[in-house]
Amino acid sequence: MAVAPPENDPPSAAPRNGFDRYFEITARGSTMSREVRGGLATFFTMAYIVVLNPLILGSAVDGDGQKLSIPALAAATALVAGVMTILMGVVGRFPLALAAGLGVNALVAYEIAPEMTWADAMGLVVIEGVIIAVLVLTGLRTAVFRSVPTQMKTAIGVGIGLFLTIIGLVDAGFVRRTEGNTTVPVGLGIGGKLVSWPMLVFVVGLLLTLVLVVRKVKGAILIGILASTALAMLVEAAGNIGPSFVDGKPNPKGWALNVPELPSSVVDVPDLSLLGNFNVLDSWGRAGWVVVLMFVFTLLITDFFDTMGTMVAVGQEGGMLDERGTPPRAKEILLVDSIAAASGGAASVSSNTSYIESAAGVAEGARTGVANLVTGVLFLLAMFLAPLVVVVPFEAASTALVVVGFLMMTAVRTIDWSDYEIAIPAFLTIVLMPFTYSISNGIGAGLITYVVVKLAKGKAREIHPLLYGVAALFVLYFLRGPIESVVL
């Protein structure tokens, strides 16, 4: 199981003070320096959400033709991410940061909001978060998590590692969709070639980070991000490359999202006008109860199982799972995640969820909620320091995702590939996450296949009763397109 390189001076067995005892820093074999480095690494790998979430939500219109303010979305995105990440650190005491969920925000922006007002759409997110919180408090969500076989949990972590890798490669522009080619969906760089300066920054940063990891340098991932950012700023200053879109026209050789240049100002006053702009009742009358139920169901399944997979993957990366593949304080972790989902809707920034980029911090040595305190405070500062946050480009931050993807992939050796009853479901779980860009799709396909294979072998008694219900829900999830076409 991949873990961060050890410190030169191992921590003592006894906690040093009350803070240490509460967060179990020493008990988990960590130190304050590791936690701080881990919190910094996590923030830099997911700070892009402060820019990207407003672009996704702010580009869509609701049923009344209204748009949300991008500056207000940026401020609220950073605020909720900061508060919920700190809450996870204090209550869950687990190095798992939270922010507006990618995929869910697109669903809200392009499918839900056009059927109603923005306030109504965000109200559905609040409802979904409350439902998940109830499932946690009743113990059902934790029970479902524990019903998944241990080797399937390992497969989920490995699949997420590959998912992280392809996210990093795509975000950096190293892997792209091929143009005018119907047989090969993706390819290397532009036209099969690495022909842009941003790609060079990514390659140099990745190689540097890998060398640092191999040499077991403290803070290897964080150093890689910062060094890559510095190189990107030099490249931009010399070449004036600009963004990937200029005046609405594509610039394939430009920076993917953030342009790494010194901002004209460092401090900005946050606009928090979107807080509380939600309505939980009007959507039922405007869009119809069937439409609303389908939307809530889709949000529920996505949030429910994405977090389960993320929690396992991060715990697996840090060696923090027990013999059943369960992290410490699982109920508290899941409860905070559900509160974050509702809070995201209440702040008009879509459901907030656990981020797999947290694995970058764990790879730096984070093992406790202290890393979350660092990440959360940085998100709160980002409300005021937004111009400074956007200096780090995708091409620099993505180096961490690829390296962490490798570290998480190493757990694949613990799966028994000679046992087809577990190997086939594990294989589908692993490959479908990166190939469909969805954690839930991978988990769903794997669990459905697991149940089908066990039944085919006449081993129904080996299936936990809850997995039958989970598999049935995933069947509905995958068939929601035909179902919607019939009932809507």
Side-chain angles (χ1 to χ4, degrees):
M1 188 170 295
V3 296
E7 300 281 3
N8 292 333
D9 299 319
S12 58
R16 299 173 180 175
N17 49 50
F19 185 85
D20 185 346
R21 184 178 298 106
Y22 179 82
F23 285 102
E24 301 177 321
I25 301 172
T26 300
R28 296 189 188 180
S30 186
T31 64
M32 279 299 297
S33 61
R34 283 193 192 187
E35 297 301 315
V36 171
R37 285 204 314 269
L40 287 169
T42 295
F43 174 75
F44 282 120
T45 55
M46 58 186 289
Y48 67 84
I49 196 61
V50 178
V51 178
L52 189 56
N53 192 50
L55 292 179
I56 292 173
L57 293 176
S59 65
V61 296
D62 65 9
D64 290 342
Q66 300 297 312
K67 284 190 174 185
L68 297 176
S69 164
I70 288 181
L73 283 169
T77 297
L79 174 62
V80 177
V83 173
M84 290 298 108
T85 296
I86 291 173
L87 185 64
M88 179 66 81
V90 174
V91 176
R93 305 179 206 173
F94 194 70
L96 193 62
L98 302 98
L102 288 174
V104 176
N105 55 7
L107 173 66
V108 172
Y110 302 119
E111 294 188 38
I112 299 180
E115 299 292 333
M116 55 195 75
T117 66
W118 279 112
D120 296 338
M122 295 303 171
L124 295 187
V125 176
V126 173
I127 292 173
E128 173 256 336
V130 171
I131 292 174
I132 293 183
V134 171
L135 294 177
V136 174
L137 293 173
T138 57
L140 181 60
R141 195 179 188 189
T142 306
V144 169
F145 173 77
R146 290 175 175 165
S147 72
V148 178
T150 301
Q151 290 195 63
M152 284 297 293
K153 291 177 182 176
T154 300
I156 289 170
V158 173
I160 292 177
L162 288 178
F163 184 33
L164 264 184
T165 300
I166 195 169
I167 289 174
L169 295 174
V170 170
D171 285 352
F174 190 84
V175 171
R176 303 188 185 208
R177 293 183 179 89
T178 54
E179 299 294 338
N181 190 329
T182 58
T183 59
V184 181
V186 294
L188 176 68
I190 302 173
K193 301 176 182 178
L194 301 178
V195 293
S196 74
W197 286 107
M199 288 185 212
L200 176 64
V201 168
F202 169 74
V203 171
V204 172
L206 178 60
L207 291 175
L208 170 64
T209 306
L210 290 172
V211 168
L212 294 173
V213 168
V214 169
R215 293 183 64 85
K216 298 184 179 180
V217 175
K218 295 179 182 179
I221 293 176
L222 182 57
I223 292 172
I225 294 173
L226 296 177
S228 300
T229 300
L231 175 60
M233 295 176 70
L234 292 174
V235 168
E236 175 61 24
N240 193 27
I241 297 164
S244 56
F245 279 87
V246 180
D247 297 328
K249 298 179 180 179
N251 174 27
K253 297 182 180 181
W255 302 99
L257 180 62
N258 298 336
V259 177
E261 55 187 2
L262 290 175
S264 56
S265 62
V266 174
V267 179
D268 198 5
V269 179
D271 178 359
L272 301 177
S273 59
L274 290 177
L275 300 186
N277 185 29
F278 69 96
N279 190 316
V280 299
L281 299 176
D282 288 356
S283 58
W284 300 85
R286 178 158 181 168
W289 68 271
V290 176
V291 174
V292 170
L293 284 178
M294 288 303 298
F295 283 147
V296 171
F297 175 74
T298 303
L299 288 169
L300 187 66
I301 290 293
T302 302
D303 265 353
F304 192 106
F305 288 97
D306 271 15
T307 297
M308 186 180 81
T310 303
M311 183 172 69
V312 168
V314 171
Q316 181 175 290
E317 170 62 22
M320 294 179 283
L321 304 182
D322 61 21
E323 65 280 358
R324 295 187 298 174
T326 303
R329 302 180 65 81
K331 183 175 181 179
E332 288 81 356
I333 294 170
L334 294 172
L335 179 59
V336 173
D337 183 84
S338 62
I339 294 173
S343 299
S348 298
V349 294
S350 182
S351 176
N352 271 232
T353 188
S354 303
Y355 259 57
I356 189 54
E357 282 87 344
S358 304
V362 173
E364 276 292 355
R367 296 291 182 272
T368 76
V370 176
N372 273 37
L373 303 185
V374 176
T375 303
V377 168
L378 289 174
F379 267 119
L380 295 180
L381 290 176
M383 289 194 301
F384 303 91
L385 304 175
L388 198 58
V389 171
V390 299
V391 168
V392 181
F394 263 168
E395 290 78 3
S398 294
T399 58
L401 302 186
V402 176
V403 173
V404 172
F406 156 71
L407 295 174
M408 296 174 68
M409 178 71 187
T410 60
V412 74
R413 68 184 183 276
T414 64
I415 298 174
D416 184 1
W417 294 103
S418 65
D419 181 2
Y420 282 11
E421 294 175 27
I422 194 68
I424 291 174
F427 168 74
L428 291 176
T429 298
I430 290 169
V431 300
L432 286 180
M433 285 188 193
F435 291 158
T436 66
Y437 247 66
S438 168
I439 295 173
S440 292
N441 287 347
I443 294 175
L447 293 182
I448 290 173
T449 306
Y450 176 81
V451 171
V452 170
V453 169
K454 284 292 186 181
L455 290 175
K457 292 283 289 184
K459 298 181 178 179
R461 292 184 178 180
E462 294 184 10
I463 305 172
H464 193 288
L466 282 175
L467 286 188
Y468 288 108
V470 172
L473 286 175
F474 267 117
V475 170
L476 292 176
Y477 173 76
F478 286 123
L479 294 178
R480 67 189 185 280
I483 293 174
E484 288 174 358
S485 66
V486 172
V487 301
L488 302 186

